[in-house]
Every structure is written in structure tokens, then in C-alpha cells.
């Protein structure tokens, strides 16, 4: 009897630990030149890119079995859940003295954003960059925040929100025929609707770091000045986002003009699937979109060994960010990885916007990623002709080097806005020559 009970408990434990997946969805890749086969199990299907489809089905397991040896099918992949976990919460602002004095901003609480400090003071030289302008006409850059939604009515965000100009708000019609009705500020794949209003402070905080309105005499300022935030609610309040929702979000963002996607989420398992990586490659190559992802908060875990996704994916169109502290060191919670982590940025005690016209601190690599996204967006606004790889390389090549970071991340340093702009200006001709060469090679391969 005891043996039977032990066996039952072990079996239950195995099933309990098995990664969960959506039972009514399946990614299907058909062979080149083939169409998606008909099946009674398929309720509907959506062409994604290349030979990839997302299928709604009566049973993902049954369809997977049916297509296993089908002559038209290259592969199938399940849509897994990330797993539930607690997102960073709003912390009480702790003052280390008077507000910092940043001459570039009149926003009353901008002095709480320590990341604006110069490199010597462990910031990313935001104030210095704006006090040393290139005097060029900057292009507006769309940054998609794929997160818990955004409070698009916030006093410091409402004027920097992306608005779909091809959609008439509230008329219940898909005016631009993109498959979404009234997608004015973005979409909400979680609820299969188009209202990405914040359900948690996380996405609103991320958005303020990137692009809170500058010099409006209200609240704080964001890192970037010529940005519109596209709101995409993909992450539930306790995480647990799905592969299908991530893929849909990334595709929507790129197809609607986002040159950058901030991805402050992740999971510890992948089950061998590569559809998210393929999506990042697709939007990078075809839309010039760079995905910026948080390295994760697993207490200095090496994500070259203990893989985390999407941060550990091999895509060239993905930039992964670790978190630093006010004293310039690596945050105690931040993951590392000489191969899979690219750069570091302020991520401890980051002051930004919260829902309901609020403001507060949060900590995590989730906060370091949008600092980097803001730096990349501001750089791109100066040099909009940069493709995703050139942009990533420019940010990495211009970091403030930190000796202790050399074995922990690829670039071995902290991002720096001022240095990124000056570096790109000084090396512009060679950057563009390398970019042209890459484009020619791609064309030859096609």
C-alpha cells in the first residue's frame, strides 16, 4: 500500500512540474511550398510569417499527433505559459539628500531619476547628452512596451502615447483592416481586445523611464525625447504570459512601426521551441526592430548556463540588459552571462511613473531594460537610418567600461547616452559601410 502511495505521489509531482501550455493553440510550420492542411480539429488559423501559422484547435495534443508525420508539416510547437511569479512592486522613494540638479529638465521630480547622472556618478549621462545637443532634426521613434499595459491617461505619459491614426476610436469597426477593432493605443492579447490599459504598475513604470514627457513642468522626464509609446498588454499581473501572446505582440508592434520593443519579462524554460526567437529574427530583418530584454532577477544566475527566455535566445536582433546600483556595481539580484547578457544599466531604486498619476521606485532588470531602450531610442532619433544590428552595436561599443563587468557581460560596461551619440557621430561612415555590406550579403543569400 505504501509503495502504491509513493508511486502515486511521484507521478503527481512529475505532472505538477510539467510546463503548462495552451490546450487550444498550436504553432504549425508547413514545409516550403505547402499550404496549411485541412483538419476537423482546426477552428481557425492565422498566418504569422514565412511558413508559420498559429492555429486555434479543439485539442493541441490531438492536432500535434495528427500532424506528426504529415507530409506537408515541417514541425509543430506548443504555446507554453511562462509560469506565475511576483512582478517588482512599487517601493517608497528613499532620498539620499537633496534632489540631483539636472540642468536639461524643468520637470520637478527629474532630480529623483539618478540614471540621468554622468558616467562618473554611475548614471548614463542623460543630462550631459541634452546639454550638448547635435542640433539636428530628430525623428520620432515608436517604442512598444510589451508588458502589463500602460496607464495612457497618466499626466506624464498621455502626450507621448502612440495613437493609431488609421483607426477611428470607439466606432466598433476595424477601420485599417489589420484584424483589430479600435486598436487606438495598442492591443491586449490577454483579453483578445484592444484596450491595453494598465492592470499593474509594471508597464506604466517601464514606459515613464523610456519616455515620460520632458520639460512639461510635471513629474519626471524620460530618457528619450522623440518617442511615442505603443502600449501592448501581454503580461498578466503575476506574469505567466504565453508564447502565442508574445509572438502576436512582437509582430503587431513591428508591423505598426515600432523600431524598439521593450521586453521586461521572461521565463526559465523553453521546451526546445524557437518560434519566439524566429519572430525576433523576422522583425529584426524585415522591419529593423530591435528587442531589448531584461536579463532576469535570479540572484546572479549565469544565463549562459541556466538559460532564461527570451534573454538566452541567440538572435542578433536581441539586446539583453543587467541591472546596476547607484554606487555603480551590479545589483545583487541581477543575472549575468558573458555570452547572453550584452550591457548593464541602472535598475535599482529607479523612480518613474505609476498608474493614477503616481510616481515611485521599482527595482529589477525590468527597470534596467527601459533605461537602455530609452538610450537606444534617443540615439535612433538622431540616426534613424541605423538598422537594428547597427543600433545594438553602437550602444554596446559606447558603454562606460567597468572592470568588474568584463567577465559578466559581452560589452563589459554600462550604457551611456552621451557616449553613444558621440561614438555614432564619429564613426558614422564606417557604421553605414558595414550596414550596407550586411544588406548586400542578405540580398545575395535571398
Amino acid at each position: 500500500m505504501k509503495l502504491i502511495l509513493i508511486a502515486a505521489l511521484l507521478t503527481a509531482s512529475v505532472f505538477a512540474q510539467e510546463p503548462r501550455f495552451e490546450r487550444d493553440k498550436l504553432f504549425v510550420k508547413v514545409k516550403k511550398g505547402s499550404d496549411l492542411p485541412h483538419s476537423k480539429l482546426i477552428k481557425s488559423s492565422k498566418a504569422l510569417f514565412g511558413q508559420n501559422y498559429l492555429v486555434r484547435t479543439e485539442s493541441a495534443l490531438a492536432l500535434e499527433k495528427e500532424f506528426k508525420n504529415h507530409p506537408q508539416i515541417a514541425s509543430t510547437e506548443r504555446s507554453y505559459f511562462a509560469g506565475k511569479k511576483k512582478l517588482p512592486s512599487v517601493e517608497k522613494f528613499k532620498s539620499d539628500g537633496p534632489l540631483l540638479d539636472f540642468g536639461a529638465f524643468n520637470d520637478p521630480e527629474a532630480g529623483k531619476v539618478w540614471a540621468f547622472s554622468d558616467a562618473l556618478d554611475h548614471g548614463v549621462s542623460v543630462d550631459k547628452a541634452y546639454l550638448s545637443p547635435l542640433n539636428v532634426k530628430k525623428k520620432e521613434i515608436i517604442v512598444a512596451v510589451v508588458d502589463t499595459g500602460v496607464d495612457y491617461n497618466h499626466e506624464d505619459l498621455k502626450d507621448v502615447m502612440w495613437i493609431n491614426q488609421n483607426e477611428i476610436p470607439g466606432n466598433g469597426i476595424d477601420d485599417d483592416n489589420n484584424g483589430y477593432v479600435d486598436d487606438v493605443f495598442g492591443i491586449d492579447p490577454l483579453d483578445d481586445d484592444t484596450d491595453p490599459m494598465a492592470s499593474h504598475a509594471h508597464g506604466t513604470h517601464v514606459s515613464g523611464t523610456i519616455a515620460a514627457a520632458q520639460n512639461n513642468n510635471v513629474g519626471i522626464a524620460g530618457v528619450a525625447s522623440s518617442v511615442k509609446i505603443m502600449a501592448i498588454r501581454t503580461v498578466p499581473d503575476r506574469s505567466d504570459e504565453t508564447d502565442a501572446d508574445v509572438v502576436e505582440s512582437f509582430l503587431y508592434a513591428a508591423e505598426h512601426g515600432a523600431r524598439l520593443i521593450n521586453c521586461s519579462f521572461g521565463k526559465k524554460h523553453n521546451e526546445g521551441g524557437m518560434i519566439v526567437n524566429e519572430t525576433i529574427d523576422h522583425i529584426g530583418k524585415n522591419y529593423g526592430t530591435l528587442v531589448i530584454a531584461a536579463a532576469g532577477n535570479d540572484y546572479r544566475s549565469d544565463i549562459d548556463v541556466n538559460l532564461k527566455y527570451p534573454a538566452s535566445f541567440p538572435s542578433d536582433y536581441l539586446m539583453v540588459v543587467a541591472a546596476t546600483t547607484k554606487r555603480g556595481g551590479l545589483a545583487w539580484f541581477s543575472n549575468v552571462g558573458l555570452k547572453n547578457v550584452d550591457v548593464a544599466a541602472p535598475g535599482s531604486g529607479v523612480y518613474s511613473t505609476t498608474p493614477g498619476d503616481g510616481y515611485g521606485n521599482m527595482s529589477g532588470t525590468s527597470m534596467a531594460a527601459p533605461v537602455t531602450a530609452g538610450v537606444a531610442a534617443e540615439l535612433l532619433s538622431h540616426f534613424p537610418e541605423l538598422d537594428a544590428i547597427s543600433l545594438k552595436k553602437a550602444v554596446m561599443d559606447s558603454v562606460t567600461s567597468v572592470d568588474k563587468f568584463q567577465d559578466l557581460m559581452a560589452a563589459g560596461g554600462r550604457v551611456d547616452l552621451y557616449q553613444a551619440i558621440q561614438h555614432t557621430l564619429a564613426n558614422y561612415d564606417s557604421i553605414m559601410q558595414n550596414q550596407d555590406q550586411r544588406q548586400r550579403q542578405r540580398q545575395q543569400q535571398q
Side-chain angles (χ1 to χ4, degrees), residues 99-115:
L99 295 185
L100 298 170
D101 184 16
F102 299 127
F105 307 104
N106 67 24
D107 310 85
E109 295 190 276
K112 294 180 179 180
V113 187
W114 65 269

PDB file of all heavy atoms in Angstrom, residues 99-115:
ATOM      1  N   LEU A  99      17.503  66.708  -4.040  1.00  0.00           N
ATOM      2  CA  LEU A  99      17.344  66.212  -5.399  1.00  0.00           C
ATOM      3  C   LEU A  99      18.566  66.558  -6.233  1.00  0.00           C
ATOM      4  O   LEU A  99      19.180  67.616  -6.052  1.00  0.00           O
ATOM      5  CB  LEU A  99      16.089  66.821  -6.041  1.00  0.00           C
ATOM      6  CG  LEU A  99      14.734  66.455  -5.441  1.00  0.00           C
ATOM      7  CD1 LEU A  99      13.616  67.049  -6.299  1.00  0.00           C
ATOM      8  CD2 LEU A  99      14.557  64.957  -5.341  1.00  0.00           C
ATOM      9  N   LEU A 100      18.909  65.664  -7.139  1.00  0.00           N
ATOM     10  CA  LEU A 100      20.009  65.942  -8.055  1.00  0.00           C
ATOM     11  C   LEU A 100      19.623  67.098  -8.969  1.00  0.00           C
ATOM     12  O   LEU A 100      18.446  67.296  -9.277  1.00  0.00           O
ATOM     13  CB  LEU A 100      20.323  64.686  -8.876  1.00  0.00           C
ATOM     14  CG  LEU A 100      20.777  63.470  -8.061  1.00  0.00           C
ATOM     15  CD1 LEU A 100      20.824  62.229  -8.937  1.00  0.00           C
ATOM     16  CD2 LEU A 100      22.136  63.718  -7.420  1.00  0.00           C
ATOM     17  N   ASP A 101      20.608  67.850  -9.399  1.00  0.00           N
ATOM     18  CA  ASP A 101      20.359  69.039 -10.221  1.00  0.00           C
ATOM     19  C   ASP A 101      20.688  68.729 -11.672  1.00  0.00           C
ATOM     20  O   ASP A 101      21.863  68.632 -12.047  1.00  0.00           O
ATOM     21  CB  ASP A 101      21.206  70.203  -9.721  1.00  0.00           C
ATOM     22  CG  ASP A 101      20.925  71.500 -10.488  1.00  0.00           C
ATOM     23  OD1 ASP A 101      19.880  71.557 -11.179  1.00  0.00           O
ATOM     24  OD2 ASP A 101      21.746  72.431 -10.401  1.00  0.00           O
ATOM     25  N   PHE A 102      19.646  68.555 -12.484  1.00  0.00           N
ATOM     26  CA  PHE A 102      19.829  68.292 -13.908  1.00  0.00           C
ATOM     27  C   PHE A 102      19.370  69.513 -14.696  1.00  0.00           C
ATOM     28  O   PHE A 102      18.182  69.829 -14.755  1.00  0.00           O
ATOM     29  CB  PHE A 102      19.056  67.044 -14.328  1.00  0.00           C
ATOM     30  CG  PHE A 102      19.508  65.797 -13.623  1.00  0.00           C
ATOM     31  CD1 PHE A 102      18.607  64.982 -12.970  1.00  0.00           C
ATOM     32  CD2 PHE A 102      20.851  65.436 -13.620  1.00  0.00           C
ATOM     33  CE1 PHE A 102      19.026  63.831 -12.313  1.00  0.00           C
ATOM     34  CE2 PHE A 102      21.280  64.292 -12.963  1.00  0.00           C
ATOM     35  CZ  PHE A 102      20.363  63.482 -12.309  1.00  0.00           C
ATOM     36  N   GLY A 103      20.306  70.197 -15.310  1.00  0.00           N
ATOM     37  CA  GLY A 103      20.023  71.460 -15.970  1.00  0.00           C
ATOM     38  C   GLY A 103      19.182  71.355 -17.224  1.00  0.00           C
ATOM     39  O   GLY A 103      18.618  72.359 -17.671  1.00  0.00           O
ATOM     40  N   ALA A 104      19.079  70.141 -17.789  1.00  0.00           N
ATOM     41  CA  ALA A 104      18.345  69.982 -19.045  1.00  0.00           C
ATOM     42  C   ALA A 104      16.839  69.894 -18.858  1.00  0.00           C
ATOM     43  O   ALA A 104      16.090  69.989 -19.827  1.00  0.00           O
ATOM     44  CB  ALA A 104      18.838  68.745 -19.787  1.00  0.00           C
ATOM     45  N   PHE A 105      16.372  69.735 -17.597  1.00  0.00           N
ATOM     46  CA  PHE A 105      14.955  69.443 -17.373  1.00  0.00           C
ATOM     47  C   PHE A 105      14.331  70.380 -16.342  1.00  0.00           C
ATOM     48  O   PHE A 105      14.946  70.687 -15.320  1.00  0.00           O
ATOM     49  CB  PHE A 105      14.794  67.992 -16.900  1.00  0.00           C
ATOM     50  CG  PHE A 105      15.452  66.980 -17.797  1.00  0.00           C
ATOM     51  CD1 PHE A 105      16.653  66.390 -17.432  1.00  0.00           C
ATOM     52  CD2 PHE A 105      14.886  66.637 -19.011  1.00  0.00           C
ATOM     53  CE1 PHE A 105      17.273  65.471 -18.259  1.00  0.00           C
ATOM     54  CE2 PHE A 105      15.496  65.721 -19.848  1.00  0.00           C
ATOM     55  CZ  PHE A 105      16.697  65.133 -19.472  1.00  0.00           C
ATOM     56  N   ASN A 106      13.081  70.803 -16.631  1.00  0.00           N
ATOM     57  CA  ASN A 106      12.339  71.594 -15.644  1.00  0.00           C
ATOM     58  C   ASN A 106      11.306  70.763 -14.894  1.00  0.00           C
ATOM     59  O   ASN A 106      10.552  71.295 -14.087  1.00  0.00           O
ATOM     60  CB  ASN A 106      11.659  72.806 -16.302  1.00  0.00           C
ATOM     61  CG  ASN A 106      10.541  72.416 -17.284  1.00  0.00           C
ATOM     62  OD1 ASN A 106       9.956  71.338 -17.196  1.00  0.00           O
ATOM     63  ND2 ASN A 106      10.236  73.306 -18.219  1.00  0.00           N
ATOM     64  N   ASP A 107      11.271  69.470 -15.163  1.00  0.00           N
ATOM     65  CA  ASP A 107      10.322  68.579 -14.513  1.00  0.00           C
ATOM     66  C   ASP A 107      10.659  68.510 -13.023  1.00  0.00           C
ATOM     67  O   ASP A 107      11.794  68.170 -12.652  1.00  0.00           O
ATOM     68  CB  ASP A 107      10.377  67.188 -15.142  1.00  0.00           C
ATOM     69  CG  ASP A 107      10.291  67.260 -16.670  1.00  0.00           C
ATOM     70  OD1 ASP A 107      11.351  67.453 -17.306  1.00  0.00           O
ATOM     71  OD2 ASP A 107       9.186  67.147 -17.195  1.00  0.00           O
ATOM     72  N   PRO A 108       9.719  68.795 -12.126  1.00  0.00           N
ATOM     73  CA  PRO A 108      10.035  68.988 -10.710  1.00  0.00           C
ATOM     74  C   PRO A 108      10.642  67.795 -10.003  1.00  0.00           C
ATOM     75  O   PRO A 108      11.359  67.959  -9.011  1.00  0.00           O
ATOM     76  CB  PRO A 108       8.681  69.371 -10.092  1.00  0.00           C
ATOM     77  CG  PRO A 108       7.650  68.914 -11.067  1.00  0.00           C
ATOM     78  CD  PRO A 108       8.286  69.036 -12.412  1.00  0.00           C
ATOM     79  N   GLU A 109      10.366  66.571 -10.476  1.00  0.00           N
ATOM     80  CA  GLU A 109      10.915  65.389  -9.812  1.00  0.00           C
ATOM     81  C   GLU A 109      11.978  64.684 -10.646  1.00  0.00           C
ATOM     82  O   GLU A 109      12.390  63.570 -10.321  1.00  0.00           O
ATOM     83  CB  GLU A 109       9.788  64.418  -9.463  1.00  0.00           C
ATOM     84  CG  GLU A 109       8.805  64.971  -8.438  1.00  0.00           C
ATOM     85  CD  GLU A 109       7.859  63.906  -7.930  1.00  0.00           C
ATOM     86  OE1 GLU A 109       6.842  63.658  -8.617  1.00  0.00           O
ATOM     87  OE2 GLU A 109       8.137  63.315  -6.868  1.00  0.00           O
ATOM     88  N   ALA A 110      12.460  65.335 -11.689  1.00  0.00           N
ATOM     89  CA  ALA A 110      13.506  64.731 -12.529  1.00  0.00           C
ATOM     90  C   ALA A 110      14.765  64.460 -11.719  1.00  0.00           C
ATOM     91  O   ALA A 110      15.529  63.530 -12.021  1.00  0.00           O
ATOM     92  CB  ALA A 110      13.822  65.632 -13.718  1.00  0.00           C
ATOM     93  N   GLY A 111      14.995  65.249 -10.675  1.00  0.00           N
ATOM     94  CA  GLY A 111      16.167  65.064  -9.834  1.00  0.00           C
ATOM     95  C   GLY A 111      16.183  63.764  -9.057  1.00  0.00           C
ATOM     96  O   GLY A 111      17.199  63.402  -8.451  1.00  0.00           O
ATOM     97  N   LYS A 112      15.054  63.041  -9.048  1.00  0.00           N
ATOM     98  CA  LYS A 112      14.997  61.729  -8.391  1.00  0.00           C
ATOM     99  C   LYS A 112      15.449  60.597  -9.320  1.00  0.00           C
ATOM    100  O   LYS A 112      15.621  59.461  -8.873  1.00  0.00           O
ATOM    101  CB  LYS A 112      13.570  61.445  -7.912  1.00  0.00           C
ATOM    102  CG  LYS A 112      13.089  62.383  -6.812  1.00  0.00           C
ATOM    103  CD  LYS A 112      11.663  62.037  -6.381  1.00  0.00           C
ATOM    104  CE  LYS A 112      11.183  62.943  -5.259  1.00  0.00           C
ATOM    105  NZ  LYS A 112       9.793  62.619  -4.837  1.00  0.00           N
ATOM    106  N   VAL A 113      15.611  60.923 -10.593  1.00  0.00           N
ATOM    107  CA  VAL A 113      15.986  59.896 -11.581  1.00  0.00           C
ATOM    108  C   VAL A 113      17.510  59.854 -11.669  1.00  0.00           C
ATOM    109  O   VAL A 113      18.120  60.496 -12.520  1.00  0.00           O
ATOM    110  CB  VAL A 113      15.354  60.186 -12.954  1.00  0.00           C
ATOM    111  CG1 VAL A 113      15.603  59.021 -13.910  1.00  0.00           C
ATOM    112  CG2 VAL A 113      13.856  60.434 -12.823  1.00  0.00           C
ATOM    113  N   TRP A 114      18.136  59.088 -10.781  1.00  0.00           N
ATOM    114  CA  TRP A 114      19.598  59.104 -10.678  1.00  0.00           C
ATOM    115  C   TRP A 114      20.295  58.600 -11.933  1.00  0.00           C
ATOM    116  O   TRP A 114      21.477  58.916 -12.166  1.00  0.00           O
ATOM    117  CB  TRP A 114      20.055  58.314  -9.456  1.00  0.00           C
ATOM    118  CG  TRP A 114      19.761  56.839  -9.471  1.00  0.00           C
ATOM    119  CD1 TRP A 114      18.661  56.214  -8.979  1.00  0.00           C
ATOM    120  CD2 TRP A 114      20.608  55.806  -9.980  1.00  0.00           C
ATOM    121  NE1 TRP A 114      18.753  54.860  -9.157  1.00  0.00           N
ATOM    122  CE2 TRP A 114      19.941  54.579  -9.764  1.00  0.00           C
ATOM    123  CE3 TRP A 114      21.866  55.795 -10.592  1.00  0.00           C
ATOM    124  CZ2 TRP A 114      20.482  53.359 -10.154  1.00  0.00           C
ATOM    125  CZ3 TRP A 114      22.419  54.583 -10.990  1.00  0.00           C
ATOM    126  CH2 TRP A 114      21.729  53.373 -10.765  1.00  0.00           C
ATOM    127  N   ALA A 115      19.588  57.870 -12.772  1.00  0.00           N
ATOM    128  CA  ALA A 115      20.186  57.383 -14.021  1.00  0.00           C
ATOM    129  C   ALA A 115      20.603  58.518 -14.946  1.00  0.00           C
ATOM    130  O   ALA A 115      21.442  58.325 -15.829  1.00  0.00           O
ATOM    131  CB  ALA A 115      19.208  56.461 -14.745  1.00  0.00           C
TER     132      ALA A 115
END
